[in-house]
Amino acid sequence: MKLEPIAYAVLIVALSGAVLAEGSRHAELQRHVALTPKQLYGKLSRSQVKLQLVDVRSDLSEFDDSHVPGAVPFPGCDPAKLPTAAQGRVYAYVPTVVISADGDRAAYEACLARFTTSWNLAGGMSAWSDANLPEDSGEYVAPRSAAGGGCL
């Protein structure tokens, strides 16, 4: 019996385990690095980047006054508080940016368990506004599905 195929199989399993462990460490590190408003704007301007934006401010009137374009209101990261139009629009598996009023770390940490990949918006909606980046206003309206599916 040749030991060479067995040695290769063991090596492949060991390297696969190392790659998975490194990926897990990388994802965990990403959760601790906040995105600046300019970084988020840059990511959103590239059409191939798919991000979900959730606005976790507890007062929906703040969302109605101004929010990052494309954001979904998700007060306190509590599914029971989702507005009717946003029901079924928050996905755990989509890379997500959490937007609070001022980048509050506690508000972000309340959402960590809900998303597989997430970032906090540094400075929150206040920093987005201070950077003079585009804002929307009004109640949340779910996007219409188009030929390629809806946008997040």
Side-chain angles (χ1 to χ4, degrees):
M1 181 171 160
K2 292 187 177 185
L3 294 178
E4 190 173 297
I6 294 171
Y8 282 130
V10 169
L11 181 62
I12 288 172
V13 168
L15 289 175
S16 297
V19 167
L20 288 173
E22 182 61 28
S24 178
R25 276 195 301 272
H26 179 71
E28 184 60 31
L29 285 173
Q30 273 188 321
R31 288 179 170 227
H32 296 287
V33 176
L35 283 176
T36 67
K38 297 266 185 192
Q39 287 171 324
L40 175 57
Y41 185 73
K43 285 180 178 285
L44 293 174
S45 66
R46 291 186 296 259
S47 62
Q48 70 274 18
V49 175
K50 303 293 183 209
L51 290 174
Q52 171 175 248
L53 309 174
V54 293
D55 190 317
V56 298
R57 294 177 288 174
S58 57
D59 186 355
L60 285 175
S61 67
E62 289 179 313
F63 179 88
D64 294 347
D65 288 341
S66 74
H67 54 268
V68 176
V72 178
F74 194 24
C77 265
D78 183 355
K81 295 180 182 177
L82 269 171
T84 304
Q87 301 267 331
R89 291 285 181 180
V90 177
Y91 305 100
Y93 55 86
V94 176
T96 302
V97 178
V98 176
I99 304 166
S100 62
D102 58 3
D104 182 28
R105 184 80 186 165
Y108 171 66
E109 288 179 2
C111 296
L112 280 177
R114 298 214 175 272
F115 305 107
T116 54
T117 304
S118 61
W119 299 270
N120 192 21
L121 179 62
M125 192 61 204
S126 296
W128 182 270
S129 295
D130 291 346
N132 294 315
L133 295 169
E135 296 179 14
D136 274 347
S137 61
E139 285 185 19
Y140 175 76
V141 177
R144 283 181 242 155
S145 292
C151 66
L152 294 176

